[in-house]
């Protein structure tokens, strides 16, 4: 499929998801209270629902910190962090495969000296590149899209993701747990 059609397929998919989110009533499930209540009432199914909502939220540009805060408030700093890490990995992996299936490695075809240098750096040090990007941007949807469309193989993507997410998630857990105690939310 030509590059423009692949990019159009990705954009149309994201637009359709956003429209579905806006007009189907799913928006009500993307609040801190709804996520917290899902955990509080049904722990096991809450974990599954959390992971699914996290993955869908990532595809439609909902910041990951919302899911982290809900998990920390519902489960505490340690278990909230563990659940967020698992949900973040599931989110990154599912986004990779969905966007890759639609767009292939379309960014490899983008010309220009700057684009070629970035792809060359990613090819030379894929795990290190993904790890550093995860430390800086965690589960940012745009990062997931770019990495999926860059032609990066799945294994380095997964290893870099698994190694790059724990530190920022742990720091956010400590921060939000401390903030929750300070504001008497828990």
């Amino acid at each position: 499929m030509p590059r423009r059609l692949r990019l159009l397929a990705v954009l149309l998919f994201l637009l359709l998801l956003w429209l579905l989110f806006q007009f189907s009533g799913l928006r009500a499930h993307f609040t801190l209270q709804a996520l917290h209540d899902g955990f509080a009432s049904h722990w096991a199914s809450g974990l599954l629902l959390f992971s699914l909502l996290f993955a869908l939220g990532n595809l439609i540009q909902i910041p990951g910190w919302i899911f982290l805060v809900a998990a920390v408030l519902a489960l505490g700093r340690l278990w909230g962090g563990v659940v967020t890490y698992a949900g973040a990995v599931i989110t990154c992996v599912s986004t990779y495969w969905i966007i890759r299936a639609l767009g292939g490695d379309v960014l490899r075809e983008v010309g220009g000296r700057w684009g070629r240098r970035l792809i060359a750096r990613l090819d030379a040090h894929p795990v290190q590149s993904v790890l550093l990007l995860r430390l800086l941007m965690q589960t940012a949807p745009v990062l997931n899209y770019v990495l999926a469309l860059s032609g990066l193989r799945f294994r380095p993507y997964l290893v870099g993701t698994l190694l790059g997410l724990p530190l920022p998630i742990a720091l956010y857990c400590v921060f939000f747990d401390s903030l929750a105690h300070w504001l008497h939310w828990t």
Side-chain angles (χ1 to χ4, degrees):
M1 186 167 26
R3 177 174 54 118
R4 288 182 189 198
L5 285 178
R6 288 185 302 206
L7 283 174
L8 182 61
V10 170
L11 292 174
L12 285 175
F13 173 74
L14 295 175
L15 176 64
L16 286 173
L17 272 181
W18 182 81
L19 289 171
L20 175 71
F21 174 73
Q22 290 297 322
F23 299 111
S24 70
L26 284 173
R27 179 181 278 276
H29 296 288
F30 285 89
T31 65
L32 284 177
Q33 189 63 46
L35 292 168
H36 176 274
D37 293 348
F39 277 125
S41 61
H42 308 287
W43 201 92
S45 62
L47 176 58
L48 178 61
L49 179 63
F50 175 81
S51 297
L52 291 172
L53 289 175
F54 198 161
L56 178 60
N58 189 266
L59 283 169
I60 57 176
Q61 306 291 322
I62 293 177
W65 66 265
I66 290 173
F67 297 93
L68 182 134
V69 170
V72 168
L73 290 178
L75 304 172
R77 183 187 323 183
L78 175 63
W79 289 110
V82 170
V83 165
T84 299
Y85 177 72
V89 170
I90 290 167
T91 293
C92 292
V93 167
S94 62
T95 301
Y96 175 91
W97 286 115
I98 291 168
I99 298 301
R100 174 60 69 89
L102 292 170
D105 62 354
V106 70
L107 291 183
R108 287 209 174 264
E109 300 170 16
V110 174
R113 190 178 68 186
W114 187 71
R116 284 191 302 273
R117 278 188 19 216
L118 286 175
I119 294 293
R121 166 74 175 136
L122 189 59
D123 288 343
H125 306 286
V127 172
Q128 178 188 31
S129 297
V130 174
L131 187 148
L132 291 173
L133 288 167
R134 290 289 180 214
L135 286 171
L136 296 172
M137 300 175 68
Q138 295 83 46
T139 62
V142 71
L143 174 61
N144 293 330
Y145 303 160
V146 168
L147 290 173
L149 296 172
S150 71
L152 177 68
R153 291 179 304 118
F154 179 69
R155 185 169 186 240
Y157 176 86
L158 179 61
V159 172
T161 297
L162 290 171
L163 296 174
L165 286 176
L167 179 62
I169 287 174
L171 293 174
Y172 280 127
C173 284
V174 169
F175 172 75
F176 284 120
D177 186 54
S178 299
L179 183 64
H181 286 300
W182 183 65
L183 295 173
H184 305 291
W185 287 350
T186 57

